[in-house]
Amino acid sequence: MRAARLMTSNDQEKDVTGATIWLTGLPSAGKTTIAYELAGRLKAEGRRVQVLDGDEIREFLSAGLGFSREDRHTNVQRIGYVAELLARNGVLALAPVIAPYADSREAVRGRHQSEGTAYLEVHVATPVDVCSVRDVKGLYAKQAAGEVSGLTGVDDPYEAPESPDLRIESHQQTVQESAAALHALLTERGLA
């Protein structure tokens, strides 16, 4: 893992290791909520953190992309590129992004490995029936009513990670417990 050199407030250099933490899972699984909870904790500890919210990225960096397999792959690669740039410069980049295809996620991991940048994959493994009850954006209701199609995990594929660095069962613990489990992994890996 590569460490970035940062100047502290008293003009001393300090080594800081950045990383990308990719939270993958179905829509309404709790990825973004967990990411922001963890970000708050890490910021309170003095770490530089950036949440790369998938919805915001779609609006500003990937505007114009649809939801075909190719467009989803392009979106994931763009987010992965930005996350790696941040991480290589000492930022903990939290990416709560569905990224439904294993090959897209593996390409992002490969980019990080080739650059010597830490990368962790976290599967927020919330069952589809729980996600559909949460339905944060109303997508499951719209899909059930026939208003939208291509909903990941319902009528479009979601390839769950086979060997993530961490699997979070968000439906069986609080947001704070989920963030704490992820914080513990970062600490174990020397990233927090």
Side-chain angles (χ1 to χ4, degrees):
M1 286 184 295
R2 199 170 27 183
R5 304 284 295 164
L6 299 177
M7 296 299 290
T8 63
S9 58
N10 56 0
D11 293 330
Q12 295 180 5
E13 287 192 13
K14 174 181 167 183
D15 282 335
V16 179
T17 302
T20 294
I21 300 90
W22 198 287
L23 294 92
T24 179
L26 296 173
S28 297
K31 302 175 299 297
T32 303
T33 303
I34 293 167
Y36 277 110
E37 179 71 24
L38 177 62
R41 181 173 178 171
L42 292 166
K43 285 178 184 176
E45 294 171 354
R47 289 304 310 266
R48 293 181 354 156
V49 181
Q50 182 62 56
V51 176
L52 298 172
D53 184 304
D55 292 333
E56 292 175 3
I57 297 291
R58 273 229 175 242
E59 181 179 351
F60 296 107
L61 186 61
S62 294
L65 290 179
F67 292 92
S68 67
R69 185 179 181 109
E70 183 179 332
D71 282 357
R72 288 176 191 252
H73 179 78
T74 298
N75 184 52
V76 168
Q77 297 316 298
R78 287 177 182 177
I79 296 168
Y81 175 76
V82 171
E84 196 280 323
L85 286 176
L86 290 167
R88 123 169 45 147
N89 286 286
V91 176
L92 291 174
L94 307 179
V97 179
I98 294 169
Y101 301 110
D103 61 341
S104 295
R105 295 189 307 267
E106 194 53 40
V108 171
R109 180 187 297 275
R111 174 176 184 70
H112 281 72
Q113 287 173 339
S114 71
E115 295 295 331
T117 306
Y119 176 87
L120 299 175
E121 183 178 72
V122 178
H123 181 206
V124 182
T126 310
V128 70
D129 58 320
V130 174
C131 294
S132 66
V133 170
R134 290 178 180 173
D135 204 9
V136 177
K137 300 172 196 160
L139 296 174
Y140 292 92
K142 288 179 181 176
Q143 191 277 336
E147 296 172 25
V148 298
S149 62
L151 181 60
T152 302
V154 178
D155 60 351
D156 209 51
Y158 176 73
E159 299 169 356
E162 292 181 14
S163 301
D165 295 283
L166 178 65
R167 191 175 316 279
I168 294 176
E169 309 276 344
S170 74
H171 59 294
Q172 296 179 353
Q173 59 191 31
T174 67
V175 171
Q176 293 76 19
E177 290 168 336
S178 296
L182 185 44
H183 188 275
L185 175 65
L186 293 174
T187 301
E188 174 187 308
R189 302 282 174 93
L191 299 169

